[in-house]
């Protein structure tokens, strides 16, 4: 089983990034997928999730209206489009599968990626 994130980097405040997470080794279409982030010196923060069946989406208040989660079951990939980025969005972003909405901790997920660094700075 693998979850491989990509698309992170350095961006100026107000900029955009699109994260991708490619899944393999499990039935991707059957799993709710989430993004969780962890800023330096802080605990994990749940960011967003998308249901496996109806595709309903959910967001933390801190990113609502700026981030959009989506999935492509044909490509076994989940995305996170991040717009209007702020310095406080700086964190390692992790893709995760198989836990209830708003779960924060890695050991509560069935699968967890290696993370991609997002840095928002001028």
């Amino acid at each position: 089983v693998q979850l491989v994130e990509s698309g992170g980097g350095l961006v100026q405040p107000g900029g955009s990034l699109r994260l991708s997470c490619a899944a393999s080794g499990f039935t991707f279409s059957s799993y709710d997928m989430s993004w969780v982030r962890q800023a330096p010196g802080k605990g994990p923060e749940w960011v967003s999730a998308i249901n496996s069946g109806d595709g309903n989406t959910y967001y933390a208040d801190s990113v609502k209206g700026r981030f959009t989660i989506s999935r492509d079951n044909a490509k076994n990939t989940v995305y996170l489009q991040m717009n209007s980025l702020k310095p406080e969005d700086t964190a390692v972003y992790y893709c995760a599968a198989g836990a209830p909405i708003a779960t924060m901790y890695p050991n509560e997920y069935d699968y967890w990626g290696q993370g991609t660094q997002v840095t928002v700075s001028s």
Side-chain angles (χ1 to χ4, degrees):
V1 171
Q2 277 194 309
L3 292 172
V4 180
E5 300 95 335
S6 60
L10 173 64
V11 63
Q12 292 186 341
S16 298
L17 283 175
R18 188 194 195 205
L19 306 184
S20 299
C21 171
S24 61
F26 66 100
T27 307
F28 175 80
S29 59
S30 297
Y31 279 77
D32 297 342
M33 297 299 297
S34 298
W35 288 94
V36 178
R37 67 186 181 186
Q38 188 161 13
K42 296 187 177 181
E45 178 189 16
W46 172 80
V47 173
S48 182
I50 184 166
N51 280 353
S52 60
D54 54 20
N56 282 349
T57 57
Y58 307 87
Y59 299 94
D61 287 344
S62 58
V63 306
K64 199 171 293 182
R66 300 187 298 121
F67 290 11
T68 302
I69 190 171
S70 61
R71 66 190 297 160
D72 185 338
N73 288 338
K75 295 183 178 180
N76 287 355
T77 301
V78 62
Y79 305 96
L80 187 67
Q81 177 67 44
M82 306 186 296
N83 299 329
S84 303
L85 282 161
K86 305 175 181 180
E88 52 263 43
D89 294 318
T90 295
V92 178
Y93 284 71
Y94 298 92
C95 171
I101 302 300
T103 297
M104 288 190 295
Y105 297 101
N107 61 352
E108 296 180 12
Y109 283 91
D110 291 342
Y111 309 119
W112 185 268
Q114 86 289 349
T116 186
Q117 176 70 48
V118 171
T119 303
V120 185
S121 175
S122 54

